[in-house]
Structure formats: structure tokens, C-alpha cells
Amino acid sequence: MPKPILYLLPCVLIAMTVSCAAVTPTFRTTDRQAITTLLEEQRQAWNRGDIPAFMEGYVHSDELVFTSGAAIRRGWQETHDRYLERYGNDASTMGTLGFEIVDLKSLGADGAVMLGRWSLTGLEAPAGGVFTIVFERRPEGWRIVHDHTSSNPS
């Protein structure tokens, strides 16, 4: 092999490595929009009294962790059942849900954490508090895998 080709080979390998690194997935503006859209779809489902649609934002597996009221719940089904037990499946018993997103940060290309405030109005006793939600990019799209929600002191 001629010597100029030997010098060119490392350059080609470096260029290939750099080009492969350039296609590594990253957290993009479209990911941020997908996550905020998911949260908006949950808000709308809640306000319709549609807990099954609200729960579509959560990963449908035993991996889900949901904490509130000093309780730790594991799994989609347990979380779903707790929502039904507490609020029913009727908009008149669920109030009007509102969110304020305080911060949304990526945790690499396939994860994100959101800090925010929630409010429930239209009930006998309005409620609110803060939440931290961890999202994961899944084959079906972004899903909530961990939700820690706390209420304002009464």
C-alpha cells in the first residue's frame, strides 16, 4: 500500500467517528414540545373526567413510581386505581386541573425532569401543590415513569 494512503486512513477513521457521534440522539425542542403536549393532554383529560385518558401519559407498567400523601405507589394499575378511588371518573368530582411548568431539564437524550405547580379548582376545597415528574422516551413516545406530587399545607 502506498504511504500517502497510510496517512489518509487515520483521517478517514477520525471523520467516520465524528460523523457517528453527530447522529447521537439529543434532547431537542421537539422533545420539549412533546412533553409539554403530553402534560396538556393529561390536563384536558382530567378536566373532562376521563381518568383512562389521563393515565395514558404514564408508562403502562410496574416500573411506574407515584408518590403523594406520604405514600409510595408502584405500577400503573395501582396508580390508576388510587385515582379512581380518590376522584371517581366524573368531572364533577374531579375539579379543574391546572399546571404551571417551572422548569424542564433534559436528562440526556431519552430522559427529562419537570418541576411544576398544580392546582385543582371548582371543588368545595380547592387544592394545589408542587410536583416533580421524570419522563422517559419510550417506543410509544414520552411517558411519565416517576411522579412525586405534594399538596400545599392545609
Side-chain angles (χ1 to χ4, degrees):
M1 189 177 319
K3 288 186 180 185
I5 293 193
L6 289 176
Y7 294 114
L8 186 59
L9 187 59
C11 294
V12 170
L13 291 174
I14 290 170
M16 289 174 57
T17 302
V18 169
S19 69
C20 287
V23 296
T24 300
T26 59
F27 191 81
R28 303 182 189 286
T29 302
T30 54
D31 295 317
R32 182 175 300 278
Q33 291 168 340
I35 289 169
T36 57
T37 296
L38 181 140
L39 202 66
E40 175 60 17
E41 289 170 350
Q42 281 194 296
R43 187 191 69 77
Q44 290 176 11
W46 183 275
N47 293 340
R48 288 191 312 270
D50 188 349
I51 287 183
F54 175 80
M55 290 296 299
E56 287 178 16
Y58 290 97
V59 63
H60 199 288
S61 81
D62 291 338
E63 295 174 40
L64 174 63
V65 176
F66 185 91
T67 62
S68 72
I72 299 171
R73 292 173 185 81
R74 294 187 182 273
W76 184 92
Q77 192 64 54
E78 186 177 350
T79 302
H80 172 269
D81 294 350
R82 176 63 177 139
Y83 273 123
L84 282 179
E85 176 188 318
R86 175 112 191 248
Y87 296 101
N89 201 22
D90 177 349
S92 68
T93 63
M94 294 171 62
T96 302
L97 179 61
F99 292 123
E100 175 193 349
I101 298 171
V102 175
D103 196 18
L104 176 59
K105 292 193 182 305
S106 72
L107 300 174
D110 296 324
V113 62
M114 178 184 286
L115 174 65
R117 292 184 178 87
W118 63 274
S119 63
L120 268 181
T121 58
L123 298 171
E124 189 174 303
V130 296
F131 63 84
T132 302
I133 299 175
V134 178
F135 296 87
E136 183 179 273
R137 184 192 316 266
R138 316 265 306 179
E140 65 273 19
W142 287 97
R143 292 294 181 266
I144 297 167
V145 295
H146 190 110
D147 182 339
H148 186 164
T149 299
S150 62
S151 298
N152 294 330
S154 301

